[in-house]
Amino acid sequence: MQRTPVDQHRLDTPRQWGADRRTAPHPLIPPPVSEGRIARGRLAIVLTIVVWACYIAYTVFEQFVVGKASSPKLVVEAIVYMLVVTALMGSAMAYLITRIGFFYRSRAHHRAPRIALDPFLAGPTPTVTVLVPSYQEDERVIRTTLLSAALQEYPGLRVTLLIDDPQQPKTRAARDLLLSARALPGAIEAELSVPFTRAQAAYDRFETGLSGTATVADMRDLAAEYQSAVGWLYGLGHRQEMVDHTDTFFVEHIVNRLAGDLGTIAEALERGAAEEAVLPVERMVQLYKRLMAIFDATVTSFERKRYVSLSPEPNKAMNLNSYIGLMGGSYQEVSTPMGIALVSAGAGRAEVTIPNPDYVLTLDADSVLLPEYALRLVHLMEQGAYAHCAVAQTPYSAFPGAATRLERISGATTDIQHIVHQGMTHYGATFWVGANAVLRKKALDDICEAAYEGDWEIKRYIQDRTVIEDTESTIDLGVHGWTLYNYPERMAYSATPPDFGSLAIQRQRWANGGLLILSRLKDQFRAKTARGQKNRFGELFLRVNYMASIFWSSICLVIMLAYPFNADLLNPVLLLVSVPYFMMMAADLKYVGYKRMDIFRIYGFNLILLPVNLSGSFASILQLLTGEKSQFKRTPKVRNRTTAATTYLLAPLALIALCAYTVVRDVQLSQWANLVFAVINLVLASYAMIAFVGLGNTVVDLLTHLKGWLYRPVQPKKPRSAPATTPATTGHGESRAMAGAVGDWASVLHYGAEGNSPGLVAVRASQAAASRRAARAPQVSTSFEDYTFFTVFQPIFELESGEVAGYEALTRFADGSSPHQGLADAQENNRHIDLDAALVRAAMASAASLPEGTWLAVNVSAGLLRRPRELEQLLAESDRPIVLEIDGADPEDFADLPAGVRIAVDDAGAGYDSLARMEALKPAFLKLGRHSLAGVETEGARRASIRSLVEFARENGCTVIAEGIESAPQRDALAACGVPLGQGFHLGKPVSLERALADAATR
């Protein structure tokens, strides 16, 4: 089945002059490197060392032997200049060495054939969870990333989107991003379920009808299933929103290429069937398993910011750590005054269960993977030779076809870095590059560090001490004896920032942290020595260069640009030190699909990034001195331009002015060698500022910052909310034994000042009651600490209008136990009346701020119901209508209820029993439970029964409330049956008072 390429004219992004004209991605396997190229690479290394050594020897002889450095100032200049030249030469040497390592690895790599992968795929495979950390990403970007992860040729894949957006968005745009991110996983899983269900059904038919050997008909059936998958994939590509070159890549080189591969298999099966050739059953099973593996994915989401028990640190590392730390556990949500906490759940009480996988695949939300990524890397790590490999990755490449000059040159540096990282693996100096990687969960457990923030345990697998967290985690893994591996293929692609403002944020983050981690290298090398392993100089040199070269290269370049060195130090031979480096990089640019002349554009690009790199480096030094973490700044992923910081605009302009001044001065002083260097910098820096930042953008950004500095609008002060009044606890004799409520002394003593938080209650008995119990059973503790609870509120809606009619107050005990269990425990100590009254009092006190016009439903035990005088005095404290929800009471218990009190009872579970209960008790409300609602959206008999119940209730002055509504079809069916009120997780979950007020304000 042939497919025409995506129409490039449908893309929304305008293309600049000088944009990337490439349409095809890099070859999956690097092209073979000739012996001549390797020889030239070696020659470049030798030439660089020889020229550098000659220059240093000549300078030492001239300055210190001949005596041209005749003053302390000239001596310092000579030493500093030689150090600068040596540092820059060291960075050049690191690049020249790693590219040789890349050549060796690319020549030695042999790709595993499908015949070796398919048996692995058909057998019991290790479990893999894909984690996609996301922060306010565009819906299209997330969808593309999730689909590329879900379409991996790997069975049972679990893809989880880690949404880190603010839980209370301040703008409509932020709210839309959050809602779309929440909806995406379910939509994608529903899409994938269509081809997966079909493929699984076909495989089941194949297994059922199998009688020893496969037949020609089986071959044709399998070909038809592959053709069906091909059609579905092409349809998926057709539905993709086409905005920029990343969409073109996803459709053409992931979706359509996968469809083409499956189409080729289908054609081969058809041809084999036409020749009446039949594959072995084992091979047929493998092909079925491969087809199912492509669509076999569970796609979910997780939001750590919903839970106060997880770290709120605003960085990607802690977003990943929060979820990884939950793996292998079952949890339930518990409401606290600070918010919802996720705590370990006992048997049968789990609301959230997170599997513990063998491997974790991390993937940035602006990256995509080729379909075989997970399969090939996990297959590799399952080999015995890689049993100690903790991280396997393919350093990402840049998407082809970028629409701007900046993206193209930034992409060129990305593709050059791919060569560097692959080469570093040859020397055992691999670093984890965080955009994508397969991580062995066992290795992560090895480097886990646990700490406590308040009462909550915070686990750190990926260190967040610096903003280049993956680099420090590399050292942690090395200390524990784990290795890392760069798979020598291009199987991952990541977007580059589209404008200078967002690029500056990204590069400043990359430059921040290397100096802090540098000192930890000694820990890794000591650990290797203790294990009896050799420490190679090449590994040490490349690791030090990787972490510190941004700093020293930037400092050295600034020194050479800014300081007027002695003319005797500027030997023309010095230029030859950098020539091999630039020539080899130009050749490598050509090798990865760019132009040799792009080397000059990259040099100018790096010149204007000097202040960005220095800013990141100085932030590392500041953190080293103060001990305070640097702020994590996320790279904006927006279609419009990001404003660049003032420093990052003025500093390059100052650099250009300095170069122009140096040119004039060198002409006046006839310093021709230095003049060449100054002219090159002036021309290339000016070009970079015009081409990559833009003069218009520079002016607009500077004026924007000037306006922000001159005019700062005064924000209106928020009115202080009046403090909530807490009803005093009044005693009514020993029989009452009422408990303290919100803010009493017991709560303050137990919780400190935070004991006054709304909804927090510590229950204590009165002295008289305590004395009486002590006389009867002195062994029973009367400590109030046993009964600490919180009140949450679930809204009750009018199904027709969608308005909130009332709230049901529910109790959550701090230890996670149920209110029924708490009351049962209190009854053993004869304290259940005290506790039940405290529950009601706390609910009414917390509900004082709920919207006016709504009523409050509270659960009351039969024991408290049988004390009408105490109940009447208790209910008198409420400022809103109260509905008592009764469970397990006898009809005679209602005889002495206070006048005007409305009650709500549960249905009896059968039609006649519910009608009889309603007629006998005369309740104001009848609550239909989940058992009465089951199947209402599909069963006509169920709806007819509910209609008759609603009609009978109306005739008896009773209103029906449907509780446990969990879906929109269920809600609509109940509304059609005439049920006036409803509550349930679909309409609104039980939440804290603050959240209930916030939800009410947004309706």
Side-chain angles (χ1 to χ4, degrees):
M1 181 181 294
Q2 298 298 320
R3 184 82 173 177
T4 57
V6 175
D7 185 2
Q8 298 288 339
H9 297 291
R10 287 172 17 194
L11 302 182
D12 297 339
T13 306
R15 297 182 63 80
Q16 290 183 344
W17 173 83
D20 191 4
R21 296 182 180 179
R22 296 177 304 148
T23 56
H26 301 288
L28 193 62
I29 304 173
V33 179
S34 65
E35 286 290 346
R37 189 168 185 200
I38 294 178
R40 288 192 294 273
R42 293 176 183 150
L43 179 61
I45 294 174
V46 173
L47 183 61
T48 301
I49 295 175
V50 169
V51 173
W52 168 79
C54 291
Y55 173 78
I56 294 297
Y58 175 79
T59 303
V60 169
F61 178 79
E62 285 287 310
Q63 299 295 316
F64 302 112
V65 177
V66 175
K68 290 187 176 180
S70 56
S71 67
K73 176 177 179 292
L74 294 177
V75 169
V76 172
E77 280 189 12
I79 294 174
V80 170
Y81 199 77
M82 286 190 292
L83 290 176
V84 167
V85 171
T86 302
L88 293 175
M89 188 278 298
S91 294
M93 281 295 299
Y95 175 76
L96 295 175
I97 291 172
T98 53
R99 67 189 297 271
I100 294 295
F102 166 73
F103 294 157
Y104 288 154
R105 296 193 69 228
S106 61
R107 294 182 67 181
H109 175 60
H110 298 286
R111 197 166 198 251
R114 286 298 315 193
I115 199 63
L117 296 176
D118 287 343
F120 174 77
L121 197 62
T125 53
T127 53
V128 177
T129 294
V130 184
L131 300 183
V132 182
S134 163
Y135 177 80
Q136 293 191 331
E137 300 281 358
D138 185 81
E139 177 185 4
R140 175 186 57 84
V141 175
I142 303 177
R143 174 179 167 81
T144 302
T145 301
L146 291 180
L147 280 172
S148 81
L151 290 174
Q152 292 293 299
E153 296 187 32
Y154 201 90
L157 207 64
R158 182 180 178 89
V159 182
T160 302
L161 177 66
L162 303 181
I163 304 172
D164 217 23
D165 298 19
Q167 292 294 295
Q168 300 294 333
K170 296 182 179 180
T171 64
R172 180 179 295 274
R175 178 177 178 272
D176 291 343
L177 289 176
L178 176 59
L179 294 178
S180 64
R182 286 173 174 170
L184 266 176
I188 291 175
E189 184 173 344
E191 280 188 276
L192 293 173
S193 66
V194 175
F196 174 72
T197 302
R198 169 166 178 155
Q200 189 175 45
Y203 177 64
D204 292 341
R205 289 195 302 270
F206 170 74
E207 276 196 320
T208 302
L210 195 61
S211 57
T213 59
T215 64
V216 172
D218 291 331
M219 292 271 287
R220 289 198 172 97
D221 290 342
L222 180 56
E225 295 307 318
Y226 268 78
Q227 288 288 7
S228 173
V230 169
W232 187 90
L233 286 169
Y234 281 141
L236 176 66
H238 182 74
R239 295 191 298 272
Q240 174 74 12
E241 180 186 2
M242 304 303 294
V243 174
D244 58 25
H245 61 295
T246 62
D247 302 307
T248 302
F249 180 91
F250 172 70
V251 172
E252 284 299 314
H253 303 293
I254 293 182
V255 177
N256 288 357
R257 179 172 291 182
L258 178 59
D261 290 344
L262 299 186
T264 301
I265 295 175
E267 292 176 6
L269 290 169
E270 288 284 5
R271 287 198 299 267
E275 298 175 5
E276 297 188 352
V278 180
L279 291 175
V281 172
E282 181 182 6
R283 184 59 179 152
M284 294 280 287
V285 169
Q286 291 175 3
L287 291 174
Y288 268 114
K289 291 289 185 69
R290 179 186 179 184
L291 187 62
M292 290 188 293
I294 294 173
F295 307 108
D296 184 11
T298 301
V299 189
T300 63
S301 64
F302 182 80
E303 299 177 57
R304 62 162 174 149
K305 289 182 177 177
R306 291 188 62 230
Y307 306 108
V308 296
S309 53
L310 300 178
S311 171
E313 289 288 334
N315 57 62
K316 183 179 75 173
M318 291 313 298
N319 192 12
L320 291 167
N321 285 336
S322 296
Y323 190 83
I324 296 173
L326 298 173
M327 286 180 169
S330 297
Y331 308 91
Q332 64 179 357
E333 296 181 353
V334 175
S335 294
T336 74
M338 291 73 71
I340 300 175
L342 203 60
V343 300
S344 296
R349 290 162 56 186
E351 296 176 293
V352 179
T353 300
I354 300 178
N356 191 29
D358 298 306
Y359 294 95
V360 176
L361 195 165
T362 60
L363 179 64
D364 280 1
D366 59 350
S367 303
V368 297
L369 305 175
L370 299 189
E372 290 185 346
Y373 180 97
L375 173 61
R376 290 192 175 274
L377 269 61
V378 173
H379 175 262
L380 173 88
M381 297 180 76
E382 285 294 293
Q383 309 305 309
Y386 296 91
H388 294 285
C389 181
V391 178
Q393 61 188 359
T394 63
Y396 60 88
S397 303
F399 288 104
T404 66
R405 292 182 293 269
L406 180 69
E407 284 179 282
R408 177 175 174 273
I409 293 303
S410 179
T413 62
T414 297
D415 291 333
I416 289 294
Q417 281 297 310
H418 178 92
I419 293 176
V420 171
H421 282 286
Q422 293 286 10
M424 290 174 71
T425 298
H426 180 73
Y427 303 99
T430 311
F431 276 92
W432 175 15
V433 183
N436 68 89
V438 174
L439 316 174
R440 194 184 299 271
K441 180 59 165 53
K442 182 180 178 182
L444 291 177
D445 292 335
D446 261 6
I447 64 173
C448 177
E449 296 180 2
Y452 285 87
E453 294 182 7
D455 292 331
W456 311 114
E457 183 183 40
I458 304 299
K459 294 182 178 179
R460 281 179 171 82
Y461 302 86
I462 306 166
Q463 291 295 333
D464 67 328
R465 190 166 62 96
T466 73
V467 292
I468 52 171
E469 61 281 338
D470 41 19
T471 303
E472 183 164 13
S473 297
T474 299
I475 306 301
D476 291 334
L477 291 168
V479 168
H480 286 79
W482 294 99
T483 62
L484 298 90
Y485 185 80
N486 281 318
Y487 194 73
E489 296 181 9
R490 292 186 183 267
M491 302 183 68
Y493 286 78
S494 188
T496 53
D499 59 83
F500 184 74
S502 55
L503 179 79
I505 294 174
Q506 181 195 69
R507 296 304 175 95
Q508 196 265 358
R509 186 173 71 243
W510 288 1
N512 183 354
L515 296 178
L516 290 171
I517 307 169
L518 190 60
S519 61
R520 296 207 55 214
L521 268 180
K522 67 179 184 298
D523 298 333
Q524 179 178 352
F525 281 83
R526 285 174 181 171
K528 288 184 69 174
T529 302
R531 293 191 297 268
Q533 299 173 329
K534 285 187 176 181
N535 290 309
R536 297 192 299 173
F537 173 77
E539 178 188 356
L540 175 62
F541 171 64
L542 293 178
R543 288 195 184 279
V544 170
N545 177 78
Y546 180 80
M547 289 187 284
S549 63
I550 290 180
F551 172 70
W552 79 50
S553 296
S554 300
I555 291 292
C556 290
L557 193 53
V558 169
I559 291 174
M560 293 188 70
L561 290 171
Y563 188 81
F565 282 96
N566 178 11
D568 291 333
L569 297 173
L570 307 177
N571 194 307
V573 177
L574 182 61
L575 295 176
L576 295 178
V577 175
S578 60
V579 167
Y581 166 78
F582 285 110
M583 289 185 64
M584 293 302 101
M585 184 176 285
D588 292 341
L589 286 169
K590 182 69 175 177
Y591 176 76
V592 294
Y594 298 89
K595 299 176 181 178
R596 294 181 187 271
M597 295 299 293
D598 285 336
I599 187 65
F600 296 108
R601 297 183 177 92
I602 291 176
Y603 182 81
F605 176 71
N606 288 329
L607 281 178
I608 64 173
L609 284 178
L610 269 178
V612 176
N613 293 331
L614 288 173
S615 172
S617 300
F618 290 146
S620 291
I621 297 174
L622 185 63
Q623 180 175 338
L624 187 65
L625 295 175
T626 63
E628 296 183 1
K629 288 183 182 180
S630 299
Q631 183 181 1
F632 183 87
K633 298 179 181 179
R634 292 180 171 90
T635 307
K637 305 295 191 310
V638 294
R639 298 186 187 180
N640 297 323
R641 195 172 60 82
T642 302
T643 303
T646 306
T647 305
Y648 301 155
L649 298 172
L650 294 180
L653 294 177
L655 175 65
I656 293 172
L658 176 63
C659 291
Y661 168 76
T662 305
V663 168
V664 174
R665 187 196 61 185
D666 289 342
V667 170
Q668 292 173 346
L669 299 178
S670 300
Q671 294 181 346
W672 309 119
N674 195 54
L675 175 64
V676 175
F677 180 64
V679 169
I680 291 174
N681 288 320
L682 174 62
V683 172
L684 294 182
S686 301
Y687 167 80
M689 200 66 187
I690 296 171
F692 303 138
V693 182
L695 297 180
N697 292 340
T698 302
V699 172
V700 169
D701 288 354
L702 289 175
L703 290 177
T704 300
H705 291 302
L706 180 63
K707 177 184 175 183
W709 180 64
L710 293 176
Y711 173 68
R712 297 182 181 179
V714 178
Q715 298 295 332
K717 294 183 178 180
K718 296 182 179 179
R720 293 184 178 180
S721 56
T725 57
T726 303
T729 304
T730 56
H732 297 279
E734 291 184 6
S735 61
R736 182 158 188 206
M738 283 297 174
V742 180
D744 70 355
W745 64 266
S747 298
V748 174
L749 288 179
H750 190 53
Y751 290 97
E754 295 178 359
N756 290 324
S757 299
L760 174 63
V761 178
V763 177
R764 58 183 174 85
S766 66
Q767 289 183 351
S771 300
R772 186 173 64 247
R773 285 194 301 273
R776 287 198 313 268
Q779 75 278 10
V780 177
S781 171
T782 59
S783 170
F784 59 84
E785 298 177 6
D786 296 334
Y787 304 107
T788 306
F789 59 87
F790 318 104
T791 304
V792 294
F793 299 92
Q794 184 174 31
I796 301 173
F797 289 85
E798 294 180 355
L799 295 183
E800 184 175 351
S801 66
E803 298 294 328
V804 176
Y807 291 87
E808 180 179 0
L810 301 170
T811 298
R812 297 289 185 264
F813 279 81
D815 61 358
S817 61
S818 68
H820 294 292
Q821 180 180 345
L823 287 169
D825 293 341
Q827 188 169 10
E828 295 179 3
N829 303 330
N830 197 28
R831 300 171 64 184
H832 58 292
I833 303 298
D834 297 350
L835 180 58
D836 196 18
L839 300 181
V840 175
R841 175 173 278 109
M844 294 189 304
S846 297
S849 301
L850 288 176
E852 295 183 4
T854 58
W855 40 266
L856 179 68
V858 294
N859 291 275
V860 176
S861 67
L864 183 58
L865 195 65
R866 296 186 185 108
R867 298 187 178 183
R869 289 184 57 193
E870 297 174 14
L871 183 61
E872 182 178 8
Q873 293 171 346
L874 180 64
L875 297 181
E877 298 176 6
S878 176
D879 60 352
R880 68 181 58 247
I882 297 293
V883 175
L884 302 182
E885 295 203 9
I886 311 300
D887 183 21
D890 298 326
E892 55 269 20
D893 295 333
F894 300 94
D896 297 324
L897 274 179
V901 172
R902 297 185 295 174
I903 64 171
V905 298
D906 294 332
D907 65 311
Y912 174 78
D913 292 336
S914 293
L915 300 179
R917 182 175 173 83
M918 192 188 314
E919 195 169 35
L921 301 178
K922 302 295 183 182
F925 298 96
L926 177 70
K927 304 197 75 172
L928 296 181
R930 289 182 175 85
H931 57 279
S932 299
L933 308 185
V936 67
E937 63 269 37
T938 57
E939 299 176 8
R942 178 76 66 179
R943 292 193 294 273
S945 174
I946 292 177
R947 286 193 194 96
S948 62
L949 182 63
V950 170
E951 182 61 29
F952 184 82
R954 187 181 296 113
E955 293 174 358
N956 286 268
C958 181
T959 302
V960 175
I961 303 175
E963 60 180 354
I965 299 176
E966 297 181 351
S967 66
Q970 202 174 43
R971 176 202 61 198
D972 296 340
L974 290 167
C977 292
V979 176
L981 301 176
Q983 66 184 107
F985 275 27
H986 175 72
L987 301 176
K989 295 182 179 181
V991 294
S992 63
L993 173 64
E994 294 80 1
R995 181 65 181 271
L997 294 176
D999 292 343
T1002 58
R1003 291 190 184 102

